[in-house]
Amino acid sequence: MQRTSRQRPHAPDRGGAWTHFAESNETGVLMAGPVLSSSDIPGPPPSAGGHNLRDIAEAGGLPGFQVRLHRTYGEIAHFAMPNAQVVSVASPEVLESTLDLPECPMELAPFLTPLADAANVLLSGEQDRARWRRTVIPALSCPHRAESDHPRFIDIIEESAQRWSSTGEPVALERELDTLALRLMCTSVLGSTPGQAAIVERVTDAFERLPEFFLGQVYGVRTTSQEPAVDSALTTLRDVVTFLVDEVAPSDLISAARRAGQSSKDLVNTLLAILIGAHRTTGTVVSHALRQLMRHRDVAKRLRAELKTVLGGKAAPAFHELPCLRYLRRTLNESVRLASPVPGIARRAPDGIALGAYRIPAGTVVHYAIRAVHMNPRVWPRPDEFDPDRFDTAPQNSRPAMAFVPFGIGRNDCPGALVAMEHALLMLAVLAHRFRFESRTAGKQGSRFSLGGPCADPVRVRPRRSR
């Protein structure tokens, strides 16, 4: 996709309003009309090496880079990777028109590297993936199972928070919530396994070594993670999950997978895919929500009032009370919008396709810039502001279907999305109701998906004297 002299020049960012080009109507949606070639798609010139890796690294990673990209060049833009020309999309309407693109280009999916040569629920062929999703999603999202696990989930959340508050010392909130979220997902996926806390600690330590290394490989940036340590971490992950599949009494999910005919090897790979999806997702969303509550006292006051009204004098919500926590869910959704659990999804076009007003050739990588979609000012007025009331019923009904896609879209969305959101909802309910979170700088947060981004401030956790 060679750039030509027809490429549009750099357009300045004027107050966060995204540039829309001549092909756009008054809503910013690209119209049908003269079909333009891929060389007409606007985007930045490549930096050294003929790609934009330096620009991506300077932005702290792909999500931040794509927000800048679309603020400058509009809702469809291009950029270059070493082995691929990428068309980035931040239009909900155009996303909806491309839901059937099947292939995941591994060069842009570094977190899935451990699964690249394995059959699993994320990367398998369409028929196998559909069959496994029919097994995985009902087993993970079974309401009877969720209700029976509910008291155990509350115990795990309270046990963690009590440990954070008992020392009086600041805690690394993001890492602690990642570990807590992984414990909840392990309980959902694996059941109440003996020695689960030690197992989760091993898995969490292994995961901590992987993201920076793989992001560094993609962006061409030196990192502190070393290849032998990464190989050891991958071996640990696979060994732990293999042990849980072969040696421990099966959970509902494992039993359902066995009945569906999954081999032990395929089941191990599917569980790894789910745990990879759970790490640095649910915890990121909840930590972002808690830091926003530190900044926005009016939101925190409304949330505590709702919790007090619904829960009364109880320490935590009963399972049947979760749907009554409407402002809590709106607060969580707004956190998800700003700290998307899935920063983006890449698909390769197997054939030449129409993308808005453009025709792109076979082999082009189409990247769903989820964080940029969630920051699109045409869809989300004042996108940088934290406003849970965006998710009240009336505003929600006025937005395009694909305006809010935190866990991906279509047949390639996250199979554990529903259970992850329910875990996040319960975590936020218990933590906001039972504990106060304090930070010296009103909750500065570093991105867990960034490369070389700012470190998050540690947070003090204190029990509330009264609820």
Side-chain angles (χ1 to χ4, degrees), residues 281-302:
T281 54
T282 308
T284 295
V285 168
V286 177
S287 65
H288 187 271
L290 290 170
R291 289 184 183 277
Q292 291 290 355
L293 292 175
M294 292 182 226
R295 295 188 188 100
H296 299 279
R297 295 185 179 181
D298 55 334
V299 176
K301 184 177 180 180
R302 284 182 65 183

Side-chain angles (χ1 to χ4, degrees), residues 185-258:
M185 185 60 80
C186 282
T187 299
S188 292
V189 171
L190 305 169
S192 297
T193 305
Q196 186 185 93
I199 292 171
V200 171
E201 184 175 353
R202 288 184 65 195
V203 171
T204 303
D205 287 343
F207 273 127
E208 284 295 309
R209 307 177 204 173
L210 302 180
E212 184 189 29
F213 177 80
F214 289 126
L215 285 172
Q217 284 191 323
V218 170
Y219 302 152
V221 176
R222 182 184 297 274
T223 69
T224 57
S225 299
Q226 300 299 314
E227 194 162 348
V230 170
D231 290 341
S232 173
L234 294 176
T235 299
T236 295
L237 289 174
R238 198 166 291 279
D239 287 349
V240 166
V241 177
T242 300
F243 167 77
L244 292 170
V245 169
D246 292 341
E247 305 295 336
V248 176
S251 66
D252 290 352
L253 175 59
I254 294 175
S255 297
R258 295 281 194 207

Side-chain angles (χ1 to χ4, degrees), residues 146-168:
E147 185 171 8
S148 65
D149 283 339
H150 186 81
R152 175 59 178 152
F153 289 159
I154 291 174
D155 288 344
I156 292 172
I157 296 167
E158 290 184 332
E159 171 191 306
S160 296
Q162 291 287 6
R163 175 172 51 80
W164 306 335
S165 65
S166 63
T167 65

Side-chain angles (χ1 to χ4, degrees), residues 436-456:
R436 290 186 294 117
F437 293 80
E438 303 168 352
S439 171
R440 288 183 296 105
T441 57
K444 184 183 80 173
Q445 179 171 3
S447 171
R448 299 285 278 168
F449 289 104
S450 69
L451 184 67
C455 294

Side-chain angles (χ1 to χ4, degrees), residues 119-191:
N120 65 83
V121 73
L122 295 181
L123 300 181
S124 298
E126 184 173 349
Q127 288 187 341
D128 283 339
R129 185 169 62 245
R131 175 170 57 87
W132 290 352
R133 286 171 65 87
R134 287 195 297 270
T135 301
V136 168
I137 293 175
L140 279 178
S141 307
C142 172
H144 298 298
R145 184 67 199 175
E147 185 171 8
S148 65
D149 283 339
H150 186 81
R152 175 59 178 152
F153 289 159
I154 291 174
D155 288 344
I156 292 172
I157 296 167
E158 290 184 332
E159 171 191 306
S160 296
Q162 291 287 6
R163 175 172 51 80
W164 306 335
S165 65
S166 63
T167 65
E169 297 296 322
V171 299
L173 185 64
E174 279 66 35
R175 192 182 192 284
E176 292 290 349
L177 288 173
D178 282 347
T179 302
L180 173 56
L182 197 57
R183 287 188 66 189
L184 297 182
M185 185 60 80
C186 282
T187 299
S188 292
V189 171
L190 305 169

